[in-house]
Each structure stands twice: as structure tokens, then as C-alpha cells.
Amino acid sequence: MSTDITPDTEQSSEPSEPSKDGPLLSVENLSVQYQLGRGMTGRAKTLTAVRDVSFSIETGRTLGLVGESGSGKSSIGRAILRLAPVSGGRIVFDGQDTATFGKRTPLSFNRDVQVVFQDPMSSLNPRQTIATTIGQAITRHRPLSGLERDREIEQALDRVGLSGYHADRYPHELSGGQRQRVAIARALAPRPRLIVCDEPVSALDVSTQSQVINLLMELQRELSVSYLFIAHDLEVVRHISDDIGVLYLGQMVEAGPADQVYRTPAHSYTQRLLASTLVANPARQAARTAERRALGADA
Amino acid sequence: MTDQPREGTLQSTAVLTEQTDPAGIEPGDGAAAEAAAGPRAKARTLRRMLRQPVTLFCLAMLLLQVVLALGAPLIAPYDPAAPNVANKLQGPSGDHWLGTDDLGRDTLSRIIYGTRTALLASTESVAIGLVLGVGLGLFVGYRGGWWDRIGMRIADVMQSIPALLLALALVAVLGSGLGNAMLAVGLIFAVSFMRITRAVVLAEREKLYVDAARVLGLRSSGIMLRQVLPNVSPPLIVQASIALGTALLIEATLSFLGVGIDATQVSWGAMLDASRQHVSEHPLLAILPGAAITLSVLAFNLLGDGLRDAGSPRSAPRAGSGKKAKLPIVSTPVPSPDDALLRVDGLTVTDRNGAQLISDVSFHIKRGETFGVVGESGCGKSITAAAILGLLPKGVTIAGGSIRLEDSELAGLSGEALRQVRGKRIGMVFQDPGSALSPVHTVGRQLTDAIRAHSGLSKAEAHDRAAELLTLVGVPNPQERLKDYPHQFSGGMAQRVVIAGALACDPELLIADEPTTALDVTIQAQVLDLLASLRERLQMSLLIITHDLGVVADSCDRVAVMYAGQIVEQRSVEDAFAEPKHPYTEALLAAVPHSETDGEPLATIPGRVPPAWAWPQGCRFNPRCPYATDDCRTGTVPADADGVRCLRVTELQLAGAR
């Protein structure tokens, strides 16, 4: 397993010890339950968002998770990021069970695991300039002088295709695609090894969407970063992912290499999802529509 | 002048089309304009402030007060406490500009010294309130749980105590003096500051940027102070400035009652008290301190609003919004058959600055046809729909062209005439069913209202019709569901209800603006199937506005591709997608991921849609077009018989959907 995830590792303040063989992230029988407060009878009500889900991601690879809203795909991402409660199972990152962290997440984990959310408007602080947003992501993990920090910010922006003058802008002054680039730059700033991408392109226009997808894939080749790519669009997920997991009502109903899941879907839900995914080709779409109506008649 | 730098980027962007270098992805033509626009944030805040005359006036008032308070001994012509009984109760004169009071003290000097007391008292109490209240509010809001519950109960108790009573009690306990009285007022203020802070923190805490900060490992204190607090500031600024005014009033009240200040201090309230016995002969004695109080409180209250607006980065005026795009309105008529239901000809819509949001848009929709309008956001798709429905935002007007529904002209209609068309002959389905339905009324109420607005049906008949409509759109158990509120419906079911509402009066044309964008993939397919079957059963025409080429491929007969306010291609979906004639159509199709794009980079369109005030000269797509030549950058590009606006339409061989 490689640790040279960044071009210059000598600057890393706390180099993580090279891990044992095994995947970068492995999720074993994960369940996520939310407390919904207490009902009138005093019994605690819970909502099980994720039930017994297992998967693993190798260094430099991408696992795509598809499913509808409410299928628990975002909850899995949030559980890995320690933003959602884990009620069962284990999340092992780089050989270390994250349950052993206790209440305080170690800084090294915060450095290694980052996130890009769906809506870049609400994931960027509206009252901070881009430079502030990226600057604090850098300096939290690598204390730098003001000059060095400014240089790093410029590099970070350059890497995601933005110019230096964007640094002084506020999020609302940027387009949706540019905002998402800033969010990606922020996620990359601590030099992570895994990025959870929670519907990163769903809010974008098709041309902007392809720009961001290309950027993510380019960065993966360059930095060997791993992605957990969460989306509802099977075509997008298939394009970017090495493996795909299909979630339905909190459970993983199908998983496998991207091509296999896409070409020969085994589970009926995956088939329905595939048939419902629209393609921009009228002839092929007509065939899909027919297939979808046939499946719909069965359901 | 802005054309020069843009010319420079044209060359580079044209070459970059297929390139995947991330550094070269978005050097859009907006970049040159952007680089020139906008100085640093603080200067912008100042400039926004200078544009608000009321705020300026309030700031001047505040400045005057501060100067008077600090420089009182230098400015005041007399000692405010020195009695001169010989000169008592004089009117304004050269020696005493505003006269003297019953002890012969100079009124002007007393007003000036009174400013000192007033400012000191209000800033003291508000400062105490802010420090305590914001601190506690941040803490309980961010921590939540038991801290929150205990904090809020204490706040409830505190707020049930009148500030004035608490002030009197504290003065009784701690001894008299303005400081003690204002301490009490500050404590009461702290509670309201805490409530506001907590409420905003609770809302902000759920925002994704806070999650992102936590994922970055930022410290809780840092997240609270540097991330959340700035977003709490707008309501706090307003509240604090109003509190300044309130505190000033309380100080005056206490002084009037003779509680707050001791005899050596000068206060406007005490001046009012002293003037009581002489008010009929010497009204100026009461009017002057009264005016000082009123003006100060008013200035504080107005200042808050002004500061909040000036401090928000969002209230920045759009760069360049002042200049007009000087584009000629060139109408190129596109032939339309006689049996068209809707005919839009040369439609041009401008905003209040004269920028053309859409230019010369012409299309028709036949009876029973589904027509798609597709393009990136900012290309004028929704404005087109809004123009047809007469729902253009304020300041946006139809500058030219016509919209004909069969033989009635819709452009320029208003009031009742418009109402007879909108909702009756044309129905509308919006993107987000959650916001298209009112959360406080049952679905039944909303549907029957829509039905009765355009028909003479009785309540019972309308109710039956509503149930019938729900059956039509495939909502199971309609009689029961009419009693439900919108939040009890899933996204897909809610969109069916919205569609039912649009169908209330058997419209001839249904306009659906991104009808499935907010829905899940499988639900999206169901809603599209529903629209298709409704069109057939009800003999309607459909206008679907979408950014999703898949939706067009699935549902539409013909499609108009819109770019930068113009239709650049308008043909049958099969033809346009199989053999696109406009480079923009080709680029959109190529950008969609599909089964053959395994691992290889997706095609992108460099740059982005320019804003309406900066549509490029010549072909509007030329800065992003890989095929653009010098001719494309000058002159106007007319639409041909297929509605294609491209000078090179005959020579280009473009790739279709794969």
C-alpha cells in the first residue's frame, strides 16, 4: 500500500504509519440509526437508515454508491465522516477501527478523510472568502506562515482550474461549477487519502458536471486518492467508479465491478433503476422506455 | 472596452475543447470581466454604505453624539451644573443659544452633557447584553441537549421580569447610580440576544459548511467563532441597534423618575423632569431634550437596518449591471404551420437595464405535441416560459415579438384577461412540488380553489372534480388523500398533485418547468410516463423545459436548444440528437456520460454561459465553440429553416448522440 499520496510528503506534519496490507477503507456490517426523540409513551423512536452494509475501497480506487433518496447512501458517507452515529458494525480506515477514536476524532483522520457535498452553496461559508475557506483547511493541518499559506492557496485553486483572483471572492460570486471546484480544493487541502463525494455533481448543469467529473478523475490519477462516490445517476456513477454498490431501503442489494453491475444487473431494483435512467439518445431511450414500462407492469 | 480582454481568451478557449487539463477547464469569457471587477471586501462594504443616504445620516448622527459626548467639556459653552439664578428661565439669546432652565443653567450645555450620559448608559447595557447573550447563545445553541434546555428555561424566567423593575430592584440592592441600573437592563438584553443567537446557531449548525469544518478537524471554538458567528451577525446588528435605542429610553425614564442618576450627572430624562413645572411658559425646556431623545432613538433604529444590508456580501450589486448590452433586435421569422396551438414569434425580453434576457425567440407547438426546450442554466429557458404565462419577474418586460395562443395575443395581456388564459387555457407545473404547494392548506382545499377559480362549480362539485383529477394522475385513494397536507405526500406523489392542479381546468397547453429535476430516477420516469399518457388522453400540448437531454429524448417530439437567450437549433428530437447541426447541441450531447465513455475523460464545454448583459458579439456561442472562425465573432447570425443559428451550418459535420 502506498503512502505517497501527495507529491511532497515531507511537509506532512504527522506522517501516518504505513499500514498493513488490506483495503484503505473497509466497512463491515454497518448500521446507522437515528434517534427521533421520544414518543408520547416515552419509548425512544429510531429510524434505521442503513442496515448491515459491507464494502471496501482500495487506495486510488473509486466505489460508487447508487440509490434513491432515503436509501441510506448519504448516511453511509456521513457515518464514515463521523457525522452520523454508527449503531452497528465497524468502519476500519487504514487498519484502524474508527470506533476506538472515542469522542475526539484524531487530527490525522480528519486529514486523511475529506468530503465534497452536493450543494456547494451551503457547503461553503457564505461569509468567508474562498481564500479564508481554503486557508483554514490548509493551516489546520500544516501550520504555515502567511506567505507560504497564500502560495498554497493559489496552488490549491490552480489545481482545480480556478485562478488566483478567485481567492478574494465570496461563494455567491461564483458559478455552481466554480463553487464545486472550491469545495474540491478545500477537500484536497489537507492532502487526504479518501474523499467522500456526496452527490457532487447532482446540482450542476450537464457541461459543468462533465468538467467536475473529469477533474475528480484527473486528480485521482495524479494523487492516488480514493473516492466513495455517492450519486443517484447510474450513468455518472458507472463512468467514474471501479466498483458499484446499489442501495435500496438501507440495504446493499447488489455490488460488483462497475461494468458488471451496469451491463448485467442481477437485482430487480437495479434493473428498474437502470431502465429508469434516461439516456440522451432517442433510439436507445425508446428501447429503455419500453423496457421500463414492461418492468413497471410487473411491479 | 470589455471586448478587448475577452478577445484574448477566445483563442485559448477554442483550442481547449477536448483538453482535460484541469487548469484549462473554466477560463470562460466571464473571466476577463471578473478579473477586472470588484476590489476587496471591506472597501465594498464601505461603498455599499455610502450609497444609502439614510444610513449615512444615522452614521452622522452617531458620530455627532460621540464627538459631543467625548468633547463635552470643550464644546459646551458653560458648566452644565453651575446655577445662575439671576439668569433663570431665559429664552434663547446670544449668551445662551437655547436659553436657561429654572436654575439658570445653560440648556445647550446640559443637552451636550446629556449626550454623554445617554451614550454611556446605552453602550454599557448593550455591551453587557451582547457579550453575555451572544456567548451563551453560541454555547447552548452549538452544544444543544441539556445545556440548551436549562439555558432556555432560565431565559424564559428572565424575560418575564420587566427590565425597568429589575433595574429598580438592582438599584435598591446595589445602591443608586446609572451603572447599576444599566447593568440590570444589560442582563435583560442578554436574554434576547441569547435567544436570537441560539436560534440562528441552531439553523446554521445544520448547514453543510459546518459539517465540512468538522470534517476538516477545526476546533469547536473555532467553528463557533469563525464559521457560525459571522452568520449570526445580521440579526444581531439589527437587534443591538434597536437595543441601543431602548436602553436610551430606559435611561431617560429612570432619570425622569429620579432613580438612575445622581444629582451631579446631567441627563435628558432629568431635564424633562425639571421642565415639567415650567412647560406652559417655556415649552422649549421640554421640547429640546425630548427631540434629542427621539432623534437619537430613531437614528439607532434606522442604523441597524443599514449596517446589516451594507455588511452582507450578498447585497452587492451585480457587476456590470449598469451597462446596457447594445444588441440589435433582429427578427428572423421561422415558418409555423397554421394548425399550431402556440406560436411565439420574435419574442425578446429585457430586464430593467435593457439587457436582453432572451432575443428573437420563435417557435410553435402543435396540438397534441410535446415540445422540449433544453439548455444550460442561464440560457433563458425559464424566462421563455414565464413570458408565455405572464409571470415575468418585476422589472423584466417583453420588448418585442408576439405570443399567440391560437388566435389570441398573450404578449401585453394583464389583469383579468391574463387570468382567463393562465390556469385556464395554459397550466403550469413547477420544478419543486414542495414549494409549489402551500404547506398550511390541505391538498383538497388547494385543488378545489384552483378548480373554482375558473369554473362556476359549487364546492361539492369542485371536490368531486378534485378527486377525479387525483385519480387521473394516479394518486391512489383520492377521497382520503384530499384531506392530507402536502408534507404527507412523497416527492413523486406531490408532483402528481401539482400536475392535477395544473389540469384543473382542462388546459390546452401544459407548461412543465423542470418537472422531474427534484425527483428520484425511478420516480422521474413515472412522472414522465404520466405526462405522456395525460397528453394523449386529454389531447393537450406539452411544453417541457429541462436541462436533461435524457428527458427530451424520452418525452419530446421536437426540441429547441437554447443558448444565451437564443434558440440555436429547433428540430425533431430524432434529427437533432442523431445529426445535430449546431455545435452547442453537439457539445451538450457529448458531455453526457454514457456506456461508451468508460474511463476516458468526458467531453466538456469550456467556460460557462455569460451573463445576459455580456452576450458576446456575433454568434453568442463563439467563445466556447471549437469551430468558431473570425466571421463568427462579428455580425449577426440568422436562424435558418431548422432554426439553426450557425454560419458554418452547411460545412460542419457534427457528431450525434451515442
Side-chain angles (χ1 to χ4, degrees):
Chain A
M1 165 162 283
S2 73
T3 48
D4 55 337
I5 42 127
T6 51
D8 43 350
T9 36
E10 76 277 2
Q11 277 198 24
S12 297
S13 49
E14 309 164 42
S16 21
E17 55 184 85
S19 75
K20 316 89 206 156
D21 286 336
L24 180 66
L25 175 82
S26 90
V27 170
E28 297 161 17
N29 310 102
L30 175 71
S31 294
V32 177
Q33 278 186 345
Y34 294 104
Q35 299 287 333
L36 295 180
R38 289 175 190 284
M40 295 290 279
T41 54
R43 209 154 39 91
K45 279 197 253 173
T46 56
L47 173 85
T48 305
V50 179
R51 224 183 287 257
D52 198 19
V53 166
S54 303
F55 59 83
S56 63
I57 306 177
E58 308 278 342
T59 297
R61 310 265 297 175
T62 301
L63 173 75
L65 283 183
V66 271
E68 323 216 304
S69 47
S71 65
K73 56 190 194 303
S74 289
S75 294
I76 293 176
R78 294 181 68 83
I80 293 168
L81 295 162
R82 298 173 62 76
L83 294 172
V86 175
S87 59
R90 300 202 311 156
I91 297 172
V92 180
F93 180 80
D94 200 14
Q96 209 181 355
D97 187 344
T98 59
T100 61
F101 291 160
K103 256 197 141 179
R104 281 199 188 280
T105 308
L107 202 54
S108 65
F109 184 80
N110 285 139
R111 186 193 59 213
D112 284 341
V113 182
Q114 277 302 312
V115 65
V116 176
F117 287 114
Q118 169 176 6
D119 178 9
M121 194 67 226
S122 80
S123 78
L124 298 175
N125 191 334
R127 286 183 172 260
Q128 284 183 345
T129 60
I130 305 311
T132 314
T133 294
I134 295 177
Q136 67 198 11
I138 294 171
T139 49
R140 179 69 181 111
H141 299 276
R142 280 171 293 150
L144 295 174
S145 73
L147 214 64
E148 283 176 315
R149 193 195 57 214
D150 288 350
R151 210 193 56 220
E152 287 265 333
I153 291 172
E154 196 154 329
Q155 277 178 4
L157 287 175
D158 185 58
R159 191 184 285 154
V160 296
L162 294 172
S163 313
Y165 64 80
H166 287 119
D168 288 340
R169 296 291 150 84
Y170 285 94
H172 72 94
E173 294 174 285
L174 304 180
S175 70
Q178 289 173 329
R179 270 179 232 142
Q180 200 57 295
R181 284 163 197 274
V182 173
I184 293 171
R186 173 180 59 191
L188 286 173
R191 300 177 181 165
R193 301 160 69 189
L194 171 70
I195 300 182
V196 175
C197 303
D198 191 353
E199 303 256 14
V201 296
S202 305
L204 306 175
D205 267 325
V206 57
S207 62
T208 321
Q209 170 181 308
S210 59
Q211 289 172 2
V212 171
I213 292 173
N214 285 352
L215 173 63
L216 286 171
M217 295 177 77
E218 182 83 9
L219 290 168
Q220 183 169 56
R221 271 195 292 276
E222 205 179 307
L223 308 171
S224 299
V225 59
S226 307
Y227 294 133
L228 175 64
F229 194 94
I230 299 166
H232 64 265
D233 186 335
L234 197 52
E235 296 278 348
V236 169
V237 168
R238 185 201 54 77
H239 180 82
I240 198 169
S241 306
D242 301 299
D243 302 290
I244 292 182
V246 182
L247 285 164
Y248 186 59
L249 301 179
Q251 284 176 310
M252 187 93 93
V253 293
E254 182 162 3
D259 225 41
Q260 181 195 317
V261 173
Y262 182 78
R263 301 212 184 269
T264 52
H267 193 273
S268 66
Y269 174 72
T270 316
Q271 290 164 4
R272 199 142 52 87
L273 189 65
L274 193 62
S276 300
T277 306
L278 304 176
V279 288
N281 182 325
R284 279 179 51 214
Q285 182 53 41
R288 272 204 186 177
T289 307
E291 188 186 338
R292 159 180 108 210
R293 290 188 180 146
L295 281 168
D298 296 347
Chain B
M1 157 199 139
T2 48
D3 284 341
Q4 277 322 95
R6 195 182 302 137
E7 288 292 329
T9 56
L10 294 190
Q11 302 293 346
S12 56
T13 51
V15 184
L16 280 166
T17 317
E18 298 295 324
Q19 200 170 320
T20 55
D21 170 18
I25 288 175
E26 220 166 275
D29 52 343
E34 268 178 35
R40 300 288 300 227
K42 286 198 179 92
R44 276 182 280 181
T45 306
L46 254 178
R47 264 208 274 154
R48 280 195 294 268
M49 209 138 75
L50 294 180
R51 268 195 293 270
Q52 303 167 325
V54 177
T55 313
L56 271 187
F57 169 75
C58 297
L59 277 177
M61 275 289 295
L62 188 65
L63 190 71
L64 179 71
Q65 289 185 354
V66 171
V67 169
L68 288 181
L70 291 177
L74 298 173
I75 300 167
Y78 296 93
D79 181 347
N84 183 353
V85 187
N87 274 337
K88 71 173 185 177
L89 291 174
Q90 282 189 349
S93 66
D95 283 343
H96 301 277
W97 290 358
L98 298 179
T100 57
D101 68 1
D102 55 346
L103 294 176
R105 296 173 296 195
D106 182 50
T107 306
L108 178 61
S109 303
R110 288 182 70 77
I111 295 252
I112 291 173
Y113 273 91
T115 314
R116 195 178 241 198
T117 314
L119 266 195
L120 202 67
S122 34
T123 41
E124 181 199 334
S125 55
V126 173
I128 292 172
L130 273 178
V131 170
L132 265 179
V134 174
L136 282 173
L138 277 176
F139 182 76
V140 299
Y142 192 77
R143 273 302 185 81
W146 277 107
W147 290 106
D148 189 32
R149 266 168 259 172
I150 293 168
M152 289 318 286
R153 290 300 82 78
I154 294 174
D156 290 339
V157 174
M158 288 287 286
Q159 261 188 334
S160 60
I161 305 171
L164 210 56
L165 279 188
L166 188 66
L168 290 175
L170 266 190
V171 167
V173 175
L174 300 175
S176 95
L178 197 56
N180 291 339
M182 295 327 279
L183 173 68
V185 178
L187 287 179
I188 298 291
F189 281 164
V191 177
S192 67
F193 286 135
M194 175 182 138
R195 279 182 182 278
I196 293 173
T197 310
R198 171 185 170 269
V200 183
V201 169
L202 284 183
E204 293 292 320
R205 200 173 66 151
E206 301 300 316
K207 295 267 175 74
L208 289 175
Y209 73 83
V210 176
D211 281 342
R214 285 164 68 190
V215 170
L216 278 171
L218 300 186
R219 293 184 188 87
S220 292
S221 57
I223 293 177
M224 272 198 267
L225 295 176
R226 293 180 55 195
Q227 307 274 343
V228 177
L229 188 58
N231 288 292
V232 183
S233 59
L236 277 181
I237 289 172
V238 177
Q239 187 68 20
S241 71
I242 290 173
L244 278 175
T246 313
L248 202 153
L249 281 179
I250 293 178
E251 181 270 320
T253 312
L254 288 172
S255 309
F256 184 81
L257 296 174
V259 182
I261 55 163
D262 51 50
T264 56
Q265 279 176 305
V266 187
S267 156
W268 295 336
M271 288 173 73
L272 274 178
D273 182 35
S275 73
R276 272 190 302 162
Q277 290 145 15
H278 313 282
V279 84
S280 50
E281 312 98 85
H282 303 281
L284 217 50
L285 281 180
I287 290 173
L288 288 172
I293 293 171
T294 311
L295 272 179
S296 307
V297 173
L298 193 65
F300 283 138
N301 289 357
L302 291 174
L303 185 66
D305 288 334
L307 283 183
R308 179 201 49 195
D309 292 347
S312 158
R314 280 189 150 276
S315 60
R318 207 167 37 138
S321 56
K323 65 184 169 217
K324 291 189 177 185
K326 286 194 190 63
L327 293 171
I329 300 178
V330 190
S331 187
T332 42
V334 173
S336 62
D338 297 334
D339 62 337
L341 172 70
L342 181 81
R343 242 176 302 175
V344 176
D345 271 311
L347 182 66
T348 298
V349 172
T350 56
D351 70 8
R352 67 181 80 221
N353 295 313
Q356 289 182 11
L357 301 181
I358 57 173
S359 315
D360 186 25
V361 165
S362 303
F363 63 90
H364 67 271
I365 304 176
K366 287 181 276 196
R367 285 195 174 277
E369 182 181 46
T370 304
F371 188 77
V373 176
V374 72
E376 289 169 274
S377 31
C379 284
K381 306 186 300 277
S382 292
I383 287 286
T384 306
I388 295 170
L389 285 161
L391 288 174
L392 287 172
K394 218 174 167 213
V396 175
T397 48
I398 294 177
S402 85
I403 305 164
R404 300 181 73 83
L405 186 68
E406 278 194 310
D407 30 16
S408 44
E409 175 65 50
L410 302 188
L413 279 192
S414 60
E416 182 58 26
L418 183 64
R419 210 180 69 87
Q420 283 305 319
V421 176
R422 188 202 293 159
K424 194 165 190 183
R425 298 187 67 190
I426 305 180
M428 177 82 190
V429 176
F430 294 95
Q431 170 172 352
D432 182 6
S435 53
L437 294 170
S438 162
V440 295
H441 296 300
T442 62
V443 159
R445 165 93 188 270
Q446 296 182 53
L447 283 179
T448 46
D449 279 356
I451 293 163
R452 295 186 70 200
H454 291 289
S455 66
L457 293 183
S458 73
K459 250 190 172 159
E461 287 168 324
H463 184 85
D464 289 345
R465 173 84 179 120
E468 198 182 312
L469 283 171
L470 283 192
T471 317
L472 187 68
V473 297
V475 174
N477 208 0
Q479 288 291 354
E480 285 302 306
R481 303 245 49 189
L482 280 175
K483 295 177 199 143
D484 285 346
Y485 286 88
H487 72 264
Q488 291 165 293
F489 288 77
S490 67
M493 280 296 152
Q495 192 61 302
R496 285 171 193 263
V497 172
V498 173
I499 293 173
L503 297 176
C505 294
D506 292 321
E508 297 155 75
L509 172 67
L510 188 67
I511 299 181
D513 190 352
E514 304 273 6
T516 58
T517 306
L519 304 177
D520 273 321
V521 179
T522 50
I523 309 297
Q524 155 169 297
Q526 290 166 9
V527 169
L528 290 177
D529 284 349
L530 170 69
L531 285 174
S533 81
L534 286 173
R535 179 192 71 160
E536 244 163 65
R537 275 190 282 166
L538 305 177
Q539 298 289 304
M540 284 189 304
S541 303
L542 261 176
L543 171 58
I544 295 183
I545 289 169
T546 180
H547 69 275
D548 188 338
L549 296 159
V551 171
V552 175
D554 180 76
S555 304
C556 299
D557 303 314
R558 285 188 308 125
V559 62
V561 181
M562 272 192 100
Y563 182 76
Q566 291 176 323
I567 291 179
V568 296
E569 176 155 6
Q570 185 182 162
R571 297 160 71 202
S572 82
V573 174
E574 284 81 12
D575 292 351
F577 281 24
E579 289 169 359
K581 287 190 177 179
H582 196 283
Y584 182 58
T585 317
E586 180 194 45
L588 277 182
L589 287 168
V592 182
H594 51 81
S595 47
E596 273 88 53
T597 57
D598 253 340
E600 62 187 89
L602 294 168
T604 63
I605 312 178
R608 54 171 158 141
V609 185
W613 44 268
W615 296 145
Q617 293 289 321
C619 168
R620 292 184 184 174
F621 187 56
N622 84 67
R624 304 174 73 188
C625 180
Y627 310 106
T629 63
D630 284 343
D631 287 345
C632 300
R633 289 170 197 125
T634 53
T636 52
V637 185
D640 73 1
D642 282 331
V644 180
R645 285 180 194 268
C646 179
L647 290 177
R648 304 185 61 194
V649 60
T650 48
E651 37 176 324
L652 291 178
Q653 290 292 321
L654 303 179
R658 280 185 285 175

